[in-house]
C-alpha cells in the first residue's frame, strides 16, 4: 500500500544533529498529522495540519518543528533532540469532509528514530 | 478528558481459538470508534470503524466489533484466529464534535500455530 509514504524509514542521529522527516500522501486528503509512538504507550498526537494550516500543536517541545508546504507533503524538522525522543514517528492523513467525525485517518509506515 | 482503555496488554492464543479484545472509552458525547492493526514491521491499518447505524460492525479479515453505548465499549472479536493475525491492535475514539483521535495503549496478540 502506497497511500502514505514516509522517509527515511530508519534514522540514527546525535543530539547535536539536525535532520528532517518527510511524509507524502497520495490520497488527495486535506489534513495531515504527526504522531509519536513509544513502546507500551498510546500514540501521542503531535501536530495537525488542515488545509496546510497548523490547527493543533499538542504541547510539543520546540526541538520538533513541523512544516506543511502543500496538502500532499508534511515535514518534521528535528534539532538538538534528546535520547527520550527515540520512538517511531508516524504520519497520517485524512479527508475532512465537514461531516463531524467522519474522517478516517490513514497511516504511513513510520520513521524509526534513535537519538544517541 | 477523553481516554481509551484496552484491558489486555498481551494476549496469547492458539490457532482456531476465539478472540475478544476489550476497549472502553470515557466520553459522554457521541463518538466515532476505530480499530487499527499493526502487523510486525508494517504500518497501522484500519481494521474497522463505527460511525452510526448497526452497532455490530464487520471489518476486514473476519474481524467484527460491537458498540455498546451503555457500557462505553467497543470490543473486537474474531471467532477463529490464525497465525497471521499476530499483530498489535489499537482501539481509537474521536468525538463527532471534532478534536483528536485518542488511542488506547494497544494489545499485542500472539497466535501460536
Amino acid at each position: 500500500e502506497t497511500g502514505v509514504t514516509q522517509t527515511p524509514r530508519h534514522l540514527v542521529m546525535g543530539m547535536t544533529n539536525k535532520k528532517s522527516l518527510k511524509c507524502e500522501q497520495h490520497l488527495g486528503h486535506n489534513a495531515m498529522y504527526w504522531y509519536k509512538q513509544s513502546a507500551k504507550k498510546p500514540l501521542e498526537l503531535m501536530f495537525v495540519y488542515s488545509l496546510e494550516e497548523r490547527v493543533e500543536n499538542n504541547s510539543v517541545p520546540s526541538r520538533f518543528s513541523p512544516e506543511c508546504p502543500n496538502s500532499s507533503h508534511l515535514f518534521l524538522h528535528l534539532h538538538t533532540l534528546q535520547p527520550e525522543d527515540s520512538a517511531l514517528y508516524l504520519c497520517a492523513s485524512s479527508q475532512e469532509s465537514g461531516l463531524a467525525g467522519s474522517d478516517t485517518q490513514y497511516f504511513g509506515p513510520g520513521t524509526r528514530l534513535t537519538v544517541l | 478528558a477523553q481516554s481509551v482503555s484496552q484491558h489486555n496488554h498481551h494476549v496469547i492464543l492458539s490457532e482456531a481459538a476465539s478472540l475478544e479484545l476489550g476497549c472502553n472509552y470515557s466520553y459522554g458525547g457521541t463518538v466515532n470508534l476505530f480499530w487499527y492493526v499493526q502487523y510486525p514491521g508494517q504500518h497501522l491499518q484500519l481494521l474497522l470503524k463505527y460511525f452510526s447505524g448497526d452497532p455490530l460492525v464487520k471489518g476486514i479479515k473476519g474481524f467484527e466489533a460491537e458498540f455498546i453505548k451503555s457500557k462505553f465499549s467497543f470490543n473486537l472479536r474474531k471467532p477463529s484466529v490464525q497465525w497471521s493475525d499476530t499483530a498489535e491492535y489499537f482501539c481509537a475514539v474521536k468525538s463527532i464534535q471534532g478534536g483528536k483521535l485518542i488511542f488506547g495503549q494497544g494489545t499485542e496478540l500472539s497466535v501460536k500455530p
Side-chain angles (χ1 to χ4, degrees):
Chain A
E1 185 176 324
T2 58
V4 181
T5 58
Q6 291 186 242
T7 55
R9 295 292 306 275
H10 300 271
L11 178 62
V12 179
M13 60 187 288
M15 289 190 284
T16 58
N17 291 158
K18 289 184 180 181
K19 297 286 184 184
S20 295
L21 310 185
K22 179 182 175 183
C23 175
E24 184 173 358
Q25 60 97 359
H26 312 273
L27 301 169
H29 289 165
N30 59 11
M32 296 186 78
Y33 311 77
W34 279 118
Y35 287 87
K36 177 182 180 182
Q37 185 179 21
S38 304
K40 307 303 180 188
K41 293 175 68 176
L43 267 73
E44 301 171 50
L45 179 65
M46 299 175 73
F47 301 104
V48 180
Y49 277 82
S50 177
L51 299 172
E52 300 155 41
E53 284 191 28
R54 191 190 308 180
V55 297
E56 180 93 29
N57 180 346
N58 203 26
S59 302
V60 179
S62 60
R63 56 186 184 270
F64 294 92
S65 174
E67 179 190 0
C68 187
N70 56 60
S71 61
S72 299
H73 294 86
L74 185 65
F75 294 89
L76 187 63
H77 302 300
L78 317 171
H79 63 99
T80 59
L81 294 192
Q82 305 297 312
E84 60 264 29
D85 296 323
S86 299
L88 182 67
Y89 289 85
L90 296 172
C91 174
S93 71
S94 70
Q95 180 63 24
E96 293 192 353
S97 62
L99 296 173
S102 62
D103 51 299
T104 299
Q105 293 182 24
Y106 295 87
F107 286 81
T111 294
R112 174 69 63 187
L113 173 67
T114 303
V115 181
L116 301 176
Chain B
Q2 296 178 52
S3 66
V4 179
S5 176
Q6 292 182 240
H7 319 297
N8 313 102
H9 295 286
H10 192 184
V11 173
I12 303 173
L13 295 173
S14 298
E15 277 194 316
S18 64
L19 170 72
E20 181 160 4
L21 301 182
C23 173
N24 284 89
Y25 65 93
S26 63
Y27 181 69
T30 303
V31 294
N32 296 139
L33 300 146
F34 306 82
W35 274 99
Y36 284 87
V37 60
Q38 190 172 29
Y39 297 103
Q42 296 190 29
H43 61 279
L44 273 168
Q45 301 173 42
L46 182 69
L47 203 52
L48 48 79
K49 60 186 178 183
Y50 172 81
F51 287 163
S52 63
D54 188 344
L56 184 61
V57 180
K58 295 196 184 297
I60 60 171
K61 304 187 180 185
F63 286 91
E64 64 178 31
E66 184 175 13
F67 171 46
I68 303 179
K69 189 174 181 179
S70 61
K71 294 184 177 181
F72 299 92
S73 70
F74 190 55
N75 292 354
L76 181 70
R77 300 195 292 249
K78 185 171 183 178
S80 176
V81 294
Q82 302 173 310
W83 175 78
S84 57
D85 293 324
T86 295
E88 192 155 15
Y89 293 81
F90 296 90
C91 181
V93 173
K94 184 174 182 179
S95 164
I96 67 164
Q97 272 78 40
K100 306 174 198 176
L101 183 62
I102 308 296
F103 283 84
Q105 71 270 37
T107 296
E108 186 180 346
L109 172 65
S110 300
V111 180
K112 296 183 174 181

